[in-house]
Amino acid sequence: MIRYILRRLAWALPTMLIVTFLVYVALRIGTNPVESYKRSNPRVTPEKIKQYIDINGLDPNYVLGYFRWLNNFVTGNWPRSIKGSREVWPALKDAMANTLRLGIAATVVGIIFGLIFGVLASIRPGGKRDIAINTGAFVGISIPPYISAILLQLLFAVYWQRWFGSSLFPTSGVYPAGHTGFDLFLMLKFMALPTIVVAIQIVATYSRYLRSSLLDVLNSDYMRTARSKGISERRVLIHHGMRNALIPIVTLAALDLGSIVGGLIISENIFSYPGMGLYFLKSFGDGDFPLLMPWMVIIVASILVFNLIADISYAWLDPRIRLE
Amino acid sequence: MAIRRFLSHKAAVTSCIILGVLTLFVILAPFTARYGVNESVQMPPNSFLTPRAQAWLGTDDIGRDLYSRLIYGVRVSLVIGLASALISVTVGSLVGAVAGFRGGKLDDIMMRITDLFLAFPFLVTLLIVRSVLGAMSWIKPLTGEMNSIRFIIILFGIFGWMGVARIIRGQVLSLKEREFIEASRAVGASRRYIIRRHLLPNSIGPIMVSLTFSVVGAITGEATLAFFGYGPQAGDGATSLGNLVGAAKGAVQTGFWWLAVFPCFTLVIIALSINFIGDALRDATDTQLDRGE
C-alpha cells in the first residue's frame, strides 16, 4: 500500500510538470501577458517591462520561459500582480480559505442529502417516492447553477425584503461591509445561498448515483444470503448494502472535484463571495499572469491529490481490489 | 422494440411535444414574435414595463418586448446547440471508434488528454480554450470574430467531442470482442469497413444519446459564457438565450422579476426536455435491457 502511494506520488511530479507547462503555454497564447501588463500600466518604462518578462519567465521560447518561471515559482520569488502590484500569496491564501469553507459546507450538505434521497428512492424502486425523487434530481441536474443562484437571490433577498421588510439571506460577500473579527452565525448566514446553489448540483447527482448503485447491490446474491442469515433489515442495508454501494460513489466523489469547483466559481461570482472562483474570473479578465499561474498550480495539484485519494479509498472499501 | 420503449417513457414524449412546439414557434418567428428583436413596444417611457397585454412578458431596459426577444433568442441558441453537437458527435464518434478499435498508443494518449480536460473545472477550460482559439490568427477565416456565433459553435464543437469519444470508445471496446466482428475480420474485411459497417451502426444508441447531451451542453454552455460576459454578441437583429439570461443578472437586485424568471425558465425547460429525451433514448437503446425482456 505504502509503496503504491509512493509510486503514485513519484508519478504525480512529471504529470504536474507537463500539465503546468500546457497551462503556461495556453495562458501565454490566450491572455498575452505582456500586452495585458502594458494595458493595465499604460505609462510603464521599458526597463519595467523587461523586469516583468524576466520574473514571469515570458521568454519568447516557451520551454526556456517555462523553466525560468518554474525556477522563480519554486524558490518563492513570485512576481506581483499586474494590477495594483499586489502580493499574490496573501490574496491566494484568503481566496483558498474562503473557497474551502464554502466547498466543504456544500459537499457535506450535498452528500448527506444526496445519500438520504438515494436510499429513500431505492427502497421501493418504481414507487411514487422513487419517481418523485428521480424527477426532482433530473430537474436539479438540468438547472445550471447560475439560474438557481439568480432565482434564489430574487426570492430570498430581493422579494423577501419587499414582502417581509428584511431579506432572509444577504446576497454578497462573507461579512457585511465594515465588519471585523470572527462571527460564526453571521458567516453561516452569508454562506447559506452560495452553499445551496452548489449543493443542489451535488444532491441531484449523488442521489441518482447512489440509487442506481444501491439497486445493483440490492439485487445481488450476497444480500439474499445476508437476509437469509436472519440479520435485521437495517443491518443488511447499512452494513452489507451501503458499503458496497458506496464503492463506485467514492471514486466519483473524488473525480467530481472539477465540477464542484466549476459550481463554486459560478456561485462565488454571483454572490460576490471572495474565493478562488472570483479570484480566477477577475485575474483572467485582467489577463493577470502572475495571479493566474499559482491558481492553476493549486488546481492541478488538488486534482492529482483527489485522484490519488479516490484510488486509495477504492481499495480500502473493496478489499478485492489490489493496488500494485 | 426500441421505439415502443421510448414511447412508454411519458416524460420523454411530453418533452418531445414541448420541444416540437417550441421549434415551430421559433421557425415561424416572423409570425409568432409580436415585435422585432430591437423594436420598442411603444414610445418612451417604455423601459421595465411589467407583463401586460401590450407586452406579454414585460419589456427590458430599453423597452423591447421580452416575449419576442425570447423567441429570437431561442432560435439562435437552438442553432448553436444543434450545430456544435453535430460537430462534436461526428468528430467524437470517429475518434472514439478508431481509438477503441485500434487500441495501443493512440488510445492511451487520447484517453490521457480527455481525462485531463474533463478533470479541470469546465468553465476554466472553456475560457482558456476560448482565449487560445481566439488568439490564433490563422484560424480566423474559419471561426470568425471571437464574439460571433460561428466562433461559439466551433468552440463547443471542439470542446464537446471528448466526452462523446469516451462513450463511443467504451461501446466499441465491448463490441469488438463480439462474434460478428470476429467473423467479419475472418472473412477479410478491412478495418475501415468494420468500423463503418459494423461498429458505428451498432453504436447508434450511444451516439444518439451523446447527441442529445451535447445539444444541452452547448446551449447551457453558451448561456454560461454569456452570463460571464464572454458570450456571442450576435449582430443586429439577433440575441441569444444566453444574452437574455445574462441580462437577468442585472435585473435581480432591482427586482424586475420577469427579466430573470422568463429567460431562466425557458432555458431550464429546454435543458430538461432534451435531458429527458436523452435519458429515454438511453433506456430504449440499451442492448443489455433488450436481452432482459
Side-chain angles (χ1 to χ4, degrees):
Chain A
M1 186 76 158
I2 288 173
R3 259 184 54 192
Y4 171 79
I5 297 176
L6 283 179
R7 228 187 43 207
R8 281 288 301 265
L9 284 178
W11 260 112
L13 197 67
T15 318
M16 187 91 194
L17 287 179
I18 293 171
V19 177
T20 46
F21 176 68
L22 291 178
V23 169
Y24 167 89
V25 173
L27 280 181
R28 280 198 57 182
I29 298 174
T31 62
N32 201 346
V34 180
E35 279 309 307
S36 31
Y37 182 60
K38 287 184 196 154
R39 200 169 51 234
S40 295
N41 307 279
R43 276 195 296 272
V44 73
T45 55
E47 293 91 76
K48 276 268 190 191
I49 293 178
K50 202 182 161 302
Q51 203 187 346
Y52 172 78
I53 290 177
D54 266 356
I55 193 166
N56 280 297
L58 298 174
D59 200 274
N61 180 337
Y62 285 148
V63 179
L64 206 66
Y66 172 72
F67 281 106
R68 221 165 255 166
W69 167 83
L70 188 68
N71 183 30
N72 283 339
F73 182 80
V74 173
T75 53
N77 186 16
W78 289 18
R80 283 162 171 266
S81 74
I82 63 171
K83 258 207 168 158
S85 180
R86 284 176 297 137
E87 287 220 40
V88 173
W89 176 241
L92 191 62
K93 199 179 58 183
D94 288 348
M96 240 162 31
N98 283 335
T99 288
L100 267 181
R101 215 162 48 205
L102 188 61
I104 290 174
T107 314
V108 170
V109 172
I111 288 191
I112 288 176
F113 280 96
L115 294 189
I116 292 175
F117 285 136
V119 172
L120 285 181
S122 62
I123 290 176
R124 205 175 301 121
K128 277 215 180 78
R129 196 162 49 190
D130 181 30
I131 291 175
I133 290 176
N134 229 339
T135 317
F138 221 83
V139 176
I141 291 177
S142 304
I143 299 182
Y146 44 91
I147 288 195
S148 51
I150 284 185
L151 296 178
L152 284 173
Q153 213 174 28
L154 196 68
L155 180 65
F156 283 116
V158 179
Y159 272 85
W160 203 274
Q161 189 158 25
R162 288 201 185 169
W163 295 332
F164 304 105
S166 71
S167 66
L168 192 58
F169 295 114
T171 54
S172 67
V174 192
Y175 284 124
H179 180 90
T180 50
F182 178 78
D183 184 339
L184 184 68
F185 180 71
L186 209 56
M187 198 176 79
L188 288 180
K189 213 171 150 182
F190 270 79
M191 272 170 62
L193 288 185
T195 307
I196 293 174
V197 168
V198 184
I200 287 178
Q201 303 270 306
I202 301 177
V203 173
T205 323
Y206 284 93
S207 57
R208 277 167 65 88
Y209 283 162
L210 186 71
R211 177 183 174 272
S212 68
S213 148
L214 256 179
L215 284 183
D216 279 351
V217 168
L218 290 180
N219 293 328
S220 59
D221 292 340
Y222 57 78
M223 290 297 282
R224 201 175 339 130
T225 315
R227 282 211 181 88
S228 62
K229 280 196 297 190
I231 307 174
S232 73
E233 184 64 26
R234 202 164 119 192
R235 201 176 147 82
V236 172
L237 263 182
I238 293 174
H239 208 78
H240 296 247
M242 271 305 247
R243 183 169 164 163
N244 284 300
L246 280 180
I247 294 171
I249 310 259
V250 167
T251 341
L252 281 170
L255 296 180
D256 246 12
L257 182 75
S259 66
I260 292 181
V261 174
L264 283 171
I265 293 178
I266 292 170
S267 183
E268 284 178 4
N269 174 277
I270 294 169
F271 295 105
S272 319
Y273 186 90
M276 295 287 272
L278 208 58
Y279 176 105
F280 169 77
L281 283 172
K282 261 196 192 138
S283 37
F284 187 80
D286 295 339
D288 204 326
F289 190 78
L291 283 174
L292 279 172
M293 276 313 279
W295 190 91
M296 290 292 177
V297 172
I298 286 175
I299 293 289
V300 175
S302 39
I303 290 172
L304 290 177
V305 168
F306 272 85
N307 265 312
L308 182 63
I309 293 177
D311 286 349
I312 294 172
S313 51
Y314 205 60
W316 178 66
L317 277 169
D318 188 351
R320 283 169 305 183
I321 294 169
R322 296 258 172 275
L323 298 175
E324 47 190 87
Chain B
M1 263 323 263
I3 290 175
R4 186 145 26 103
R5 221 167 19 221
F6 181 82
L7 288 179
S8 70
H9 198 303
K10 283 197 204 87
V13 176
T14 320
S15 305
C16 279
I17 296 171
I18 292 177
L19 273 186
V21 171
L22 209 69
T23 316
L24 260 181
F25 254 72
V26 160
I27 290 173
L28 299 175
F31 304 104
T32 49
R34 302 172 72 206
Y35 301 91
V37 191
N38 290 321
E39 192 186 341
S40 320
V41 295
Q42 63 181 43
M43 296 307 284
N46 54 11
S47 37
F48 300 122
L49 296 179
T50 47
R52 60 190 63 196
Q54 204 175 6
W56 288 337
L57 304 183
T59 64
D60 65 0
D61 50 347
I62 48 175
R64 295 172 299 190
D65 180 32
L66 184 61
Y67 163 76
S68 316
R69 281 177 70 73
L70 264 180
I71 288 180
Y72 288 109
V74 169
R75 181 158 74 168
V76 172
S77 284
L78 284 184
V79 168
I80 290 177
L82 280 176
S84 51
L86 279 179
I87 297 178
S88 49
V89 168
T90 313
V91 177
S93 345
L94 284 178
V95 175
V98 171
F101 192 55
R102 296 186 55 163
K105 274 260 158 52
L106 177 80
D107 190 32
D108 277 353
I109 293 173
M110 213 198 74
M111 284 303 120
R112 280 288 140 76
I113 295 176
T114 51
D115 273 348
L116 186 73
F117 266 83
L118 296 175
F120 253 74
F122 169 74
L123 188 61
V124 175
T125 333
L126 190 60
L127 286 180
I128 292 178
V129 170
R130 175 180 181 275
S131 67
V132 171
L133 202 62
M136 294 187 194
S137 46
W138 51 269
I139 214 171
K140 200 131 263 164
L142 181 69
T143 56
E145 287 304 313
M146 241 172 127
N147 50 15
S148 69
I149 289 170
R150 194 153 48 132
F151 184 87
I152 295 285
I153 290 175
I154 290 176
L155 175 65
F156 283 111
I158 290 175
F159 209 77
W161 70 265
M162 285 175 290
V164 181
R166 280 184 83 86
I167 298 173
I168 304 303
R169 171 181 173 269
Q171 174 80 6
V172 166
L173 276 183
S174 73
L175 275 178
K176 81 172 177 189
E177 304 303 330
R178 298 269 287 272
E179 286 87 351
F180 70 96
I181 302 288
E182 211 174 314
S184 141
R185 217 173 336 193
V187 296
S190 70
R191 271 203 206 119
R192 231 171 117 173
Y193 181 86
I194 295 180
I195 289 183
R196 217 177 50 215
R197 294 302 296 269
H198 291 306
L199 293 179
L200 285 180
N202 272 297
S203 311
I204 197 74
I207 290 178
M208 292 287 288
V209 174
S210 8
L211 185 72
T212 58
F213 291 134
S214 301
V215 174
V216 180
I219 291 179
T220 52
E222 185 267 334
T224 313
L225 276 184
F227 192 85
F228 290 102
Y230 295 98
Q233 300 298 319
D236 293 338
T239 180
S240 73
L241 203 47
N243 277 331
L244 294 171
V245 174
K249 186 165 57 163
V252 167
Q253 291 296 339
T254 39
F256 301 125
W257 59 269
W258 59 94
L259 284 180
V261 170
F262 294 126
C264 288
F265 269 101
T266 315
L267 182 60
V268 171
I269 285 174
I270 293 176
L272 192 60
S273 314
I274 304 178
N275 274 339
F276 267 131
I277 294 174
D279 203 44
L281 274 177
R282 180 163 47 196
D283 288 351
T285 55
D286 195 335
T287 44
Q288 231 137 41
L289 293 176
D290 251 342
R291 269 173 253 144
E293 275 178 36

